[in-house]
Amino acid sequence: MSINTWKTDFYRATLDSDLSQQLNNLASALNAWEDKSQHADQKMWRKQLSHLPNINPSVFSLGDIVTIGAEDDLVEGEKLRLRQVLQNYMPWRKGPFRLFGVDINTEWRSDWKWQRVIPHIDKLENRRVLDVGCGSGYHLFRMAQENATQVIGIDPTALFFYQFHCFKRYLPTINVHYLPLGVEDLPATNCFDTVFSMGVLYHRLDPLLFLKQLKQQLVKGGQLVLETLVIDGNQQQVLMPGERYAQMRNVYFIPSCEAMLVWLKKVGFNDPKLVDMNTTTTDEQRTTEWMPNHSLSNFLDPEDKAKTIEGYPSPKRATFVAYK
Amino acid sequence: MSINTWKTDFYRATLDSDLSQQLNNLASALNAWEDKSQHADQKMWRKQLSHLPNINPSVFSLGDIVTIGAEDDLVEGEKLRLRQVLQNYMPWRKGPFRLFGVDINTEWRSDWKWQRVIPHIDKLENRRVLDVGCGSGYHLFRMAQENATQVIGIDPTALFFYQFHCFKRYLPTINVHYLPLGVEDLPATNCFDTVFSMGVLYHRLDPLLFLKQLKQQLVKGGQLVLETLVIDGNQQQVLMPGERYAQMRNVYFIPSCEAMLVWLKKVGFNDPKLVDMNTTTTDEQRTTEWMPNHSLSNFLDPEDKAKTIEGYPSPKRATFVAYK
Amino acid sequence: MSINTWKTDFYRATLDSDLSQQLNNLASALNAWEDKSQHADQKMWRKQLSHLPNINPSVFSLGDIVTIGAEDDLVEGEKLRLRQVLQNYMPWRKGPFRLFGVDINTEWRSDWKWQRVIPHIDKLENRRVLDVGCGSGYHLFRMAQENATQVIGIDPTALFFYQFHCFKRYLPTINVHYLPLGVEDLPATNCFDTVFSMGVLYHRLDPLLFLKQLKQQLVKGGQLVLETLVIDGNQQQVLMPGERYAQMRNVYFIPSCEAMLVWLKKVGFNDPKLVDMNTTTTDEQRTTEWMPNHSLSNFLDPEDKAKTIEGYPSPKRATFVAYK
Amino acid sequence: MSINTWKTDFYRATLDSDLSQQLNNLASALNAWEDKSQHADQKMWRKQLSHLPNINPSVFSLGDIVTIGAEDDLVEGEKLRLRQVLQNYMPWRKGPFRLFGVDINTEWRSDWKWQRVIPHIDKLENRRVLDVGCGSGYHLFRMAQENATQVIGIDPTALFFYQFHCFKRYLPTINVHYLPLGVEDLPATNCFDTVFSMGVLYHRLDPLLFLKQLKQQLVKGGQLVLETLVIDGNQQQVLMPGERYAQMRNVYFIPSCEAMLVWLKKVGFNDPKLVDMNTTTTDEQRTTEWMPNHSLSNFLDPEDKAKTIEGYPSPKRATFVAYK
């Protein structure tokens, strides 16, 4: 697998599934992305990929730390070089990863989130899985570890696409693919057994439309796994922050768990359930060597950690499951 | 003015305004509507228009009762015939109208709503005005009475288009036009001085996107006039009804007034204000001879008129103004 | 009429005709042209138009010399200035024109061609006329002189568009319009009474398709007037020059008159007739002050004027009429 | 290989070639064809395919008679049934074929044409080949026999698509594909080493555009093999028949060989050569049991076999080769 064949690798992997019925639309969307992804950063990111060690990793494991290759696979000097290549893709938000002994300590302990989610969802074995807003793809690899038939992640942020390919090139045989698209760019495929979306809904100004878009990717009976920011309160409690929330500009509806359950039913999901609720700690989301910018601790009220610096409730995240 | 020239009449009226820059998009949208509006009802509605009296009205006035022609304009038998033609366009929701002495007593006393709104908005004189969700067009005629330069109403419901043309054909010289489109079908024209939307927002599953669509029809500095259902409560109070609200299936977000003001700011409107709040009475919305189906009184809890039969707060409507 | 309103002037003029049914397509094509016509020459040409004298011409006549204004309409110095403005639009190929006393002596004596054609065609009075490949629009003005209801010229060459507008701005009331389009950009309007195409067919590599495109602009029963290069010979005689013909690269099929008549029938024209045949002389097409480049005399064999310098028969032009 | 997977089989086969860059366009064109190919004949043709014997052929050979399976592969009664199934796809024009012992004696002895062409063209071994206007696909199988890497035939006639699939289903491993498209539906792929077009050019009203379309399917240096009707004569000799030629309505330009060579150069082909000329005989094209309609002998003048019944020269076909 090379970066040059990521599209055809994806096409080949989908020819036997119902996704192949949407090949024209998918190929058009991917071509459109390539046509417009010509800015300087992307050229650099693409080029840097070719500077990754051109060797076969001796080992890999897709556990809590997604690990590819051993330190000994590299000769003298190559590890420093590898570290430099990977630094071009900073900031690294979702992880952790370890590549030929280089530890990428990401802003998020995404393994903690995964540990909270995995006990509550239907087994992924033999299922086709879509992850909407997949970031670097950390969770895609974890889903593959659970023996999903096929795992497809989508995220329109170009940087994450290249982060993903730092690892994918060493795993040519796993059926995991990253499409640099938003869910609104996907045709209605109605063909995934499980659809994940973690950390996206509150960035959408049209959350019910977003839920509908997720639904039209699921097969009848398929499972949605949705994680988003929530507030405390009853069915009628929904926070719309002013200009910023925890310094982010693009945060819109933050419902209570009760309101979220009503929304899920409203767009036609069956049997929605809250399966986890968790207040994000500054241990789980924090500044690291690989994400040196401000992180959660900078966004909370120094006097009262229960509030953001704008005075809103500090981030609490809930996970829901529901069926189509 | 005849039904056959409604499009070219509109084009001619807009050639001198900035709307003409969108002529290709507008013409495409209107052609698309015509192409798909071939079902049996529409053919009948279109045909019945030709059975309206083919005379020039002796008088007209666009006051509380939009009145065109006098009873004496018709000869013996024509009035009965006229009544029969108009009955083809039932149910009549927004009015009242009087056409050659035939009183169309509509479900809504839309004149009452107008009286509540008009004192609070910028004068319409010499302004270009858009009404999103204009229904039969009752308010369009009232806006024309206020000496707006041009009044354009949009509403995708075909029946309302034909109701409007029952009157428009007698008023060939007024600069009032109805386009059978949704606001999502309009290109961003940025050219109206005032944009109205009354009674639409709660039918949209994406109310913030809707507000953005309204905003992109306004000139910089133009005024939005928005009327929608509200509930009591603070900034974080938003009702999402279950399957139905007052028996309607397509009701989504019902915010508190405070929440609505936050939403308006969030999408970039300036200086949003609540200018009117009003609990809808069964005098204002009720079953009539021209709308014989169930109306508000049937949708309220018989034991407690403060609640809908589903147990939600009964309809309270608020009007907001804001600037782009 | 100003250059800024040429599109809306055209739309207004066509709202009462069947052309209005194609408004969306026409407006899309014209917008597309504007979007791509941003190169430096065009900006200069557009700007220079504003330097033309801003006065009402005292006289105009659309005779052999298309004449607008009198020399005395200008004050001292303005005539020199006018000449300089007009020189920006060189080379001038089709004419002659006289503007406020400035004589534009064009490469072609297009008046001679017009004199040969006009006796043989149906009267243009009260007809809608299209001229495909209209160049500077010289013939458009002559068609207006014949009292055509409406005259529309199309030609994709930007320079000719601006040449046309040097005159059109002084004739705001005549129903003559120039659309910077090729016939392949026009929707099938089926609405012109007469369609002219003079000097285009041999530039098309698909002449039968071209004839079909002309046909679909005509009303049933409308007249085609077609002028093109021909060779001597029978029905099966068609010249395809090699790389160049009379130094022009883009010359394709040159049929005999007999072959041309077969072609016209083949695409469904009725009653095709040859009405004029003429060997182009170096008096009719020649280098002038306003077209200083090489012209016909340079393209003929100096030893044998009956041949081009490539050895093909020298240009002979025939005019055909036919009915849809 | 089943009829249900013909598209994905094609996609899979092209993912490693430059064709994959056009996957979106190809998939869109094929989907468009499927969407519109719902008429009754096609449903029957598709259904009948499933009634072909569901067995693996014991032998196959792609020689002069394209032969698949042996008579003994079938049990009692199956051969009669097979014959009946194949009769649904009449008329059979291009062949001959033999399927499990059933001889399909087609209108044309296409093997004779192949024998005339094959000695004159570059070896097909290891080349990607396109056949424009491939009919039943007889020649596609012959090209595969010559060890072409990949053979793609295109022809928009639906019947031929189903004829082809009567054989293709028994040859799942050969890299031969039929796309039910016209060359004008193909994107410019610039990726075939050899492009054939036999018997198409005279059906096109725009033969030069057709040549350009063929050219843009070839790699630089690739070979065109073009067979078409010709007349005797010099460079300027081109026949355009009137309404019909040999009873066919859709016959346009029939050039002399000399004229054809000029056309090929005109659109930019290098080194064009005439390699074969042949007067079609009534032995090569004739009525058979599998094509019971009138054939060549009915279309010639009974008094003078050198003329068609319309009086034109009777069919003479020439083959040209040229390079891009």
Side-chain angles (χ1 to χ4, degrees):
Chain A
M1 152 72 202
S2 118
I3 183 67
N4 297 316
T5 61
W6 69 273
K7 286 195 302 180
T8 49
D9 288 346
F10 164 67
Y11 300 145
R12 186 175 289 107
T14 58
L15 285 177
D16 294 323
S17 77
D18 287 352
L19 265 188
S20 69
Q21 294 174 17
Q22 299 289 348
L23 205 58
N24 57 334
N25 293 318
L26 290 167
S28 294
L30 295 178
N31 288 357
W33 179 78
E34 285 202 317
D35 287 348
K36 73 181 183 202
S37 65
Q38 304 299 335
H39 68 75
D41 276 354
Q42 294 216 30
K43 283 183 182 155
M44 185 273 281
W45 291 333
R46 178 172 278 257
K47 186 166 180 200
Q48 286 294 319
L49 279 184
S50 65
H51 297 153
L52 289 170
N54 195 13
I55 56 177
N56 287 325
S58 58
V59 293
F60 76 86
S61 93
L62 305 179
D64 279 351
I65 301 176
V66 168
T67 302
I68 293 170
E71 194 162 353
D72 293 350
D73 294 351
L74 300 186
V75 301
E76 192 77 24
E78 281 187 330
K79 189 172 169 187
L80 179 60
R81 171 101 169 109
L82 170 58
R83 173 177 286 273
Q84 287 167 342
V85 172
L86 292 171
Q87 282 168 347
N88 287 298
Y89 302 100
M90 294 205 330
W92 285 87
R93 297 197 179 274
K94 301 294 168 66
F97 293 99
R98 180 178 297 149
L99 186 61
F100 297 114
V102 177
D103 270 300
I104 304 177
N105 188 17
T106 52
E107 180 187 20
W108 282 86
R109 292 293 309 258
S110 305
D111 49 332
W112 296 5
K113 185 180 288 190
W114 190 243
Q115 285 158 11
R116 286 194 301 272
V117 167
I118 194 76
H120 303 294
I121 67 172
D122 292 345
K123 287 211 176 307
L124 298 182
E125 197 165 354
N126 298 328
R127 292 169 82 100
R128 293 187 185 273
V129 178
L130 176 70
D131 185 10
V132 174
C134 64
S136 67
Y138 171 84
H139 287 127
L140 303 181
F141 296 113
R142 304 304 306 271
M143 294 165 191
Q145 186 197 26
E146 300 292 326
N147 297 313
T149 305
Q150 181 173 53
V151 179
I152 293 176
I154 64 172
D155 199 310
T157 305
L159 176 61
F160 302 155
F161 174 80
Y162 291 97
Q163 291 179 344
F164 170 81
H165 279 295
C166 291
F167 311 108
K168 179 67 199 303
R169 55 165 294 165
Y170 296 109
L171 303 167
T173 60
I174 65 172
N175 199 347
V176 175
H177 303 272
Y178 180 119
L179 307 182
L181 303 175
V183 70
E184 66 279 8
D185 302 320
L186 282 191
T189 65
N190 297 295
C191 81
F192 290 96
D193 302 300
T194 304
V195 168
F196 288 85
S197 179
M198 302 189 281
V200 176
L201 183 128
Y202 53 88
H203 288 318
R204 291 279 302 240
L205 63 75
D206 48 8
L208 262 67
L209 186 56
F210 179 64
L211 293 177
K212 283 194 147 185
Q213 289 167 344
L214 297 176
K215 195 175 156 211
Q216 69 184 8
Q217 301 306 328
L218 280 168
V219 295
K220 183 90 191 112
Q223 186 178 42
L224 172 70
V225 181
L226 179 80
E227 192 247 28
T228 193
L229 291 175
V230 292
I231 57 169
D232 293 330
N234 64 24
Q235 275 196 6
Q236 298 185 16
Q237 220 77 28
V238 179
L239 169 63
M240 171 72 70
E243 210 169 332
R244 289 165 180 255
Y245 173 85
Q247 289 299 93
M248 293 181 283
R249 284 184 184 280
N250 59 344
V251 174
Y252 298 91
F253 294 89
I254 305 181
S256 69
C257 292
E258 291 301 310
M260 188 71 232
L261 292 167
V262 175
W263 291 6
L264 285 163
K265 275 189 212 153
K266 187 79 180 182
V267 300
F269 281 104
N270 296 317
D271 202 15
K273 275 191 200 132
L274 169 66
V275 297
D276 183 68
M277 178 136 59
N278 176 268
T279 300
T280 308
T281 67
T282 53
D283 287 336
E284 185 169 355
Q285 183 189 10
R286 74 284 187 234
T287 300
T288 70
E289 178 193 359
W290 293 84
M291 202 303 285
N293 309 322
H294 283 186
S295 186
L296 181 58
S297 69
N298 310 98
F299 305 147
L300 299 182
D301 180 342
E303 310 290 308
D304 177 0
K305 297 296 184 188
K307 291 190 176 156
T308 68
I309 56 175
E310 300 89 358
Y312 297 113
S314 61
K316 188 175 290 188
R317 286 164 181 270
T319 302
F320 303 84
V321 297
Y323 292 95
K324 177 173 174 184
Chain B
M1 155 70 202
S2 119
I3 183 66
N4 297 316
T5 61
W6 69 273
K7 285 196 301 179
T8 48
D9 288 346
F10 163 67
Y11 299 143
R12 187 174 288 107
T14 58
L15 285 178
D16 294 324
S17 77
D18 286 352
L19 266 188
S20 68
Q21 295 173 16
Q22 299 290 348
L23 205 58
N24 57 333
N25 292 318
L26 291 167
S28 294
L30 295 178
N31 288 358
W33 179 78
E34 285 202 318
D35 287 348
K36 74 181 183 202
S37 65
Q38 304 298 337
H39 70 74
D41 275 355
Q42 293 216 30
K43 283 184 182 152
M44 183 274 279
W45 289 333
R46 177 171 279 258
K47 186 164 180 203
Q48 286 293 320
L49 279 184
S50 65
H51 296 154
L52 289 170
N54 195 12
I55 56 177
N56 287 325
S58 58
V59 293
F60 76 87
S61 92
L62 304 179
D64 279 351
I65 300 176
V66 168
T67 301
I68 293 169
E71 194 160 354
D72 293 351
D73 294 350
L74 301 185
V75 301
E76 192 76 25
E78 280 186 330
K79 189 171 168 186
L80 179 60
R81 172 101 170 108
L82 170 58
R83 172 176 287 272
Q84 288 167 342
V85 172
L86 292 172
Q87 282 167 348
N88 286 298
Y89 302 100
M90 296 203 332
W92 286 87
R93 297 198 179 275
K94 300 294 168 64
F97 293 100
R98 181 178 295 149
L99 187 61
F100 296 113
V102 177
D103 270 301
I104 304 178
N105 188 15
T106 53
E107 180 189 20
W108 282 86
R109 292 296 306 262
S110 305
D111 49 331
W112 296 5
K113 184 179 289 190
W114 191 243
Q115 285 157 12
R116 286 194 302 272
V117 167
I118 195 75
H120 302 295
I121 67 172
D122 292 345
K123 286 211 177 308
L124 298 181
E125 196 164 355
N126 296 328
R127 291 169 83 98
R128 293 188 185 272
V129 178
L130 177 70
D131 186 9
V132 173
C134 65
S136 68
Y138 172 83
H139 287 128
L140 303 182
F141 295 114
R142 305 304 305 272
M143 294 165 192
Q145 186 198 23
E146 300 293 325
N147 296 313
T149 304
Q150 182 173 54
V151 179
I152 293 177
I154 65 173
D155 199 311
T157 305
L159 176 62
F160 301 154
F161 175 80
Y162 293 97
Q163 290 179 345
F164 169 80
H165 279 295
C166 291
F167 311 108
K168 179 66 199 301
R169 56 166 293 167
Y170 297 110
L171 303 167
T173 60
I174 65 171
N175 199 348
V176 175
H177 304 272
Y178 180 118
L179 306 183
L181 303 175
V183 69
E184 66 279 7
D185 303 320
L186 281 191
T189 65
N190 297 296
C191 81
F192 291 96
D193 301 300
T194 304
V195 168
F196 287 86
S197 178
M198 301 189 281
V200 176
L201 183 128
Y202 52 89
H203 288 317
R204 291 280 301 241
L205 61 74
D206 47 8
L208 261 67
L209 186 57
F210 179 64
L211 293 177
K212 282 194 148 187
Q213 290 167 342
L214 296 177
K215 195 174 155 211
Q216 69 183 8
Q217 301 307 327
L218 280 168
V219 295
K220 183 88 190 113
Q223 186 178 43
L224 172 71
V225 181
L226 179 80
E227 192 246 27
T228 191
L229 291 175
V230 292
I231 58 170
D232 293 330
N234 63 26
Q235 273 197 6
Q236 298 185 17
Q237 219 77 27
V238 179
L239 168 63
M240 171 72 70
E243 209 169 334
R244 289 164 180 255
Y245 173 85
Q247 289 298 93
M248 294 181 284
R249 285 183 183 281
N250 59 344
V251 175
Y252 298 91
F253 295 88
I254 306 180
S256 68
C257 291
E258 291 301 310
M260 189 70 231
L261 292 168
V262 174
W263 291 6
L264 285 163
K265 275 189 212 154
K266 188 79 179 182
V267 300
F269 281 105
N270 296 318
D271 202 16
K273 276 191 199 132
L274 169 67
V275 295
D276 184 68
M277 178 135 59
N278 178 267
T279 299
T280 309
T281 67
T282 53
D283 286 337
E284 184 169 352
Q285 183 189 11
R286 76 281 187 236
T287 300
T288 70
E289 179 192 359
W290 293 83
M291 202 302 287
N293 310 321
H294 283 187
S295 187
L296 182 57
S297 68
N298 310 97
F299 304 146
L300 299 183
D301 180 342
E303 308 291 306
D304 178 1
K305 298 295 185 190
K307 291 190 176 155
T308 69
I309 57 175
E310 299 90 357
Y312 297 113
S314 61
K316 187 176 293 189
R317 285 165 181 269
T319 302
F320 302 84
V321 296
Y323 292 94
K324 177 173 173 183
Chain C
M1 153 72 202
S2 119
I3 184 65
N4 298 316
T5 60
W6 69 274
K7 286 196 301 179
T8 48
D9 288 347
F10 164 67
Y11 299 144
R12 186 174 289 107
T14 58
L15 285 177
D16 294 323
S17 77
D18 286 352
L19 266 188
S20 69
Q21 294 172 17
Q22 299 290 348
L23 205 58
N24 56 332
N25 293 317
L26 290 168
S28 294
L30 295 178
N31 288 357
W33 179 79
E34 285 203 318
D35 287 349
K36 74 181 181 202
S37 64
Q38 304 298 334
H39 69 73
D41 275 354
Q42 293 218 29
K43 282 184 182 154
M44 184 272 280
W45 290 333
R46 178 171 278 258
K47 186 165 179 202
Q48 287 293 321
L49 279 185
S50 65
H51 297 152
L52 289 170
N54 196 13
I55 56 175
N56 287 325
S58 58
V59 293
F60 76 88
S61 93
L62 305 178
D64 279 352
I65 300 176
V66 168
T67 302
I68 293 169
E71 195 161 352
D72 294 351
D73 294 351
L74 300 186
V75 300
E76 191 77 25
E78 280 186 331
K79 190 172 169 187
L80 179 61
R81 170 102 171 109
L82 170 59
R83 173 177 286 272
Q84 288 168 342
V85 171
L86 293 171
Q87 282 167 347
N88 287 297
Y89 303 100
M90 295 202 334
W92 285 88
R93 297 196 180 276
K94 301 294 168 66
F97 294 99
R98 180 179 296 149
L99 186 61
F100 296 113
V102 177
D103 270 300
I104 304 177
N105 188 16
T106 53
E107 180 187 21
W108 282 86
R109 292 293 308 258
S110 306
D111 48 332
W112 296 5
K113 184 180 289 189
W114 190 243
Q115 285 157 12
R116 286 195 301 272
V117 167
I118 195 75
H120 302 294
I121 67 172
D122 293 345
K123 286 210 176 309
L124 298 181
E125 196 166 355
N126 297 328
R127 291 169 83 99
R128 292 187 185 273
V129 178
L130 177 70
D131 186 8
V132 174
C134 64
S136 66
Y138 171 84
H139 287 128
L140 303 181
F141 295 114
R142 305 303 306 270
M143 294 164 192
Q145 185 197 25
E146 300 294 325
N147 297 312
T149 304
Q150 182 172 55
V151 179
I152 294 176
I154 65 173
D155 199 310
T157 305
L159 175 62
F160 302 155
F161 174 80
Y162 292 98
Q163 291 179 343
F164 170 80
H165 279 295
C166 292
F167 311 108
K168 179 68 199 301
R169 54 166 295 166
Y170 297 109
L171 303 167
T173 60
I174 66 171
N175 199 347
V176 175
H177 303 272
Y178 180 119
L179 306 183
L181 304 175
V183 69
E184 66 279 8
D185 303 319
L186 280 191
T189 64
N190 297 297
C191 81
F192 290 96
D193 301 299
T194 304
V195 169
F196 288 85
S197 179
M198 302 188 281
V200 176
L201 183 128
Y202 53 89
H203 288 316
R204 291 279 302 239
L205 62 74
D206 47 7
L208 261 67
L209 187 56
F210 179 64
L211 293 177
K212 283 195 147 185
Q213 290 166 342
L214 297 177
K215 195 174 157 211
Q216 68 183 8
Q217 301 307 328
L218 279 169
V219 296
K220 184 92 190 108
Q223 186 178 42
L224 173 70
V225 181
L226 179 80
E227 191 246 27
T228 192
L229 291 176
V230 291
I231 57 170
D232 292 332
N234 65 24
Q235 274 196 8
Q236 298 184 18
Q237 219 78 27
V238 179
L239 168 62
M240 171 73 68
E243 210 171 332
R244 290 167 179 252
Y245 174 85
Q247 288 298 93
M248 293 181 283
R249 285 183 183 281
N250 58 343
V251 174
Y252 299 91
F253 294 89
I254 306 181
S256 69
C257 292
E258 290 302 310
M260 189 70 232
L261 292 168
V262 174
W263 291 7
L264 285 163
K265 274 189 213 153
K266 187 77 179 182
V267 301
F269 281 104
N270 296 317
D271 202 15
K273 276 190 200 132
L274 169 66
V275 296
D276 183 68
M277 179 136 57
N278 178 268
T279 300
T280 308
T281 67
T282 53
D283 287 335
E284 183 168 354
Q285 183 189 10
R286 75 283 189 237
T287 300
T288 70
E289 177 192 0
W290 294 85
M291 202 301 287
N293 310 321
H294 283 186
S295 188
L296 181 57
S297 68
N298 311 97
F299 305 146
L300 299 182
D301 180 343
E303 309 291 307
D304 177 1
K305 298 295 184 191
K307 290 191 178 156
T308 69
I309 56 175
E310 299 89 0
Y312 297 112
S314 62
K316 188 177 292 187
R317 287 165 181 268
T319 302
F320 303 84
V321 296
Y323 292 95
K324 178 172 175 183
Chain D
M1 154 72 202
S2 120
I3 183 66
N4 297 316
T5 61
W6 69 274
K7 285 195 303 179
T8 49
D9 288 346
F10 164 67
Y11 299 145
R12 186 174 290 107
T14 58
L15 284 178
D16 294 323
S17 77
D18 286 352
L19 263 189
S20 69
Q21 294 173 17
Q22 298 290 348
L23 205 59
N24 57 331
N25 293 318
L26 291 166
S28 294
L30 296 178
N31 288 357
W33 179 78
E34 285 202 319
D35 287 348
K36 74 183 182 200
S37 64
Q38 304 298 336
H39 70 73
D41 274 355
Q42 293 217 31
K43 282 183 182 153
M44 183 275 277
W45 290 332
R46 177 172 277 258
K47 186 166 180 201
Q48 286 293 320
L49 279 185
S50 64
H51 296 154
L52 289 170
N54 195 15
I55 56 176
N56 287 325
S58 58
V59 292
F60 76 88
S61 92
L62 305 178
D64 279 351
I65 300 177
V66 168
T67 302
I68 293 169
E71 194 161 353
D72 292 352
D73 294 349
L74 300 185
V75 301
E76 193 77 25
E78 280 187 331
K79 189 171 168 187
L80 179 60
R81 170 100 169 109
L82 170 58
R83 173 177 286 273
Q84 288 168 342
V85 172
L86 292 172
Q87 283 168 346
N88 287 297
Y89 302 99
M90 296 205 331
W92 285 87
R93 298 198 179 274
K94 301 293 168 65
F97 293 99
R98 180 179 296 147
L99 186 60
F100 297 113
V102 177
D103 271 300
I104 304 177
N105 189 14
T106 53
E107 179 188 20
W108 282 85
R109 292 294 306 261
S110 306
D111 48 333
W112 296 5
K113 183 179 290 189
W114 189 242
Q115 286 158 12
R116 285 195 302 272
V117 168
I118 195 75
H120 303 294
I121 67 172
D122 292 344
K123 287 213 176 307
L124 298 182
E125 196 165 355
N126 297 328
R127 292 169 81 99
R128 293 186 185 274
V129 178
L130 176 71
D131 185 9
V132 174
C134 64
S136 67
Y138 171 84
H139 287 127
L140 303 182
F141 296 114
R142 304 305 305 271
M143 294 164 192
Q145 187 198 24
E146 300 292 327
N147 297 312
T149 305
Q150 182 173 53
V151 179
I152 293 176
I154 64 172
D155 199 310
T157 305
L159 176 61
F160 301 155
F161 174 80
Y162 292 97
Q163 290 179 345
F164 169 81
H165 279 294
C166 291
F167 311 108
K168 178 69 199 300
R169 55 164 294 165
Y170 297 109
L171 303 167
T173 61
I174 65 171
N175 199 348
V176 175
H177 304 272
Y178 181 119
L179 306 182
L181 303 175
V183 69
E184 67 278 7
D185 303 320
L186 282 191
T189 66
N190 297 296
C191 82
F192 290 96
D193 301 300
T194 305
V195 169
F196 288 86
S197 179
M198 301 188 282
V200 176
L201 183 128
Y202 52 88
H203 289 316
R204 290 280 300 241
L205 62 73
D206 46 8
L208 261 67
L209 186 57
F210 179 64
L211 293 177
K212 283 195 146 185
Q213 289 167 344
L214 296 176
K215 195 175 157 212
Q216 69 183 8
Q217 302 307 326
L218 280 168
V219 296
K220 184 88 191 111
Q223 187 178 43
L224 172 70
V225 181
L226 180 80
E227 192 247 25
T228 192
L229 290 176
V230 292
I231 57 171
D232 293 331
N234 63 25
Q235 273 197 7
Q236 298 185 17
Q237 220 77 30
V238 179
L239 168 63
M240 170 72 69
E243 209 171 335
R244 289 165 180 255
Y245 173 85
Q247 289 298 94
M248 294 181 284
R249 286 183 182 281
N250 58 342
V251 174
Y252 298 92
F253 294 88
I254 306 180
S256 68
C257 292
E258 292 301 311
M260 188 71 232
L261 292 167
V262 174
W263 291 7
L264 286 163
K265 275 189 214 153
K266 186 79 180 182
V267 301
F269 281 104
N270 297 317
D271 201 15
K273 275 190 202 131
L274 169 67
V275 296
D276 183 67
M277 179 135 59
N278 178 267
T279 300
T280 309
T281 68
T282 53
D283 287 336
E284 184 170 353
Q285 183 188 12
R286 74 284 188 237
T287 300
T288 70
E289 178 191 1
W290 294 85
M291 202 302 287
N293 311 321
H294 282 187
S295 187
L296 181 58
S297 68
N298 310 99
F299 306 146
L300 299 182
D301 180 342
E303 308 290 308
D304 177 1
K305 297 295 184 190
K307 291 191 177 156
T308 69
I309 56 175
E310 300 90 357
Y312 297 113
S314 63
K316 187 176 294 189
R317 285 164 183 268
T319 302
F320 303 84
V321 297
Y323 293 95
K324 177 175 173 182

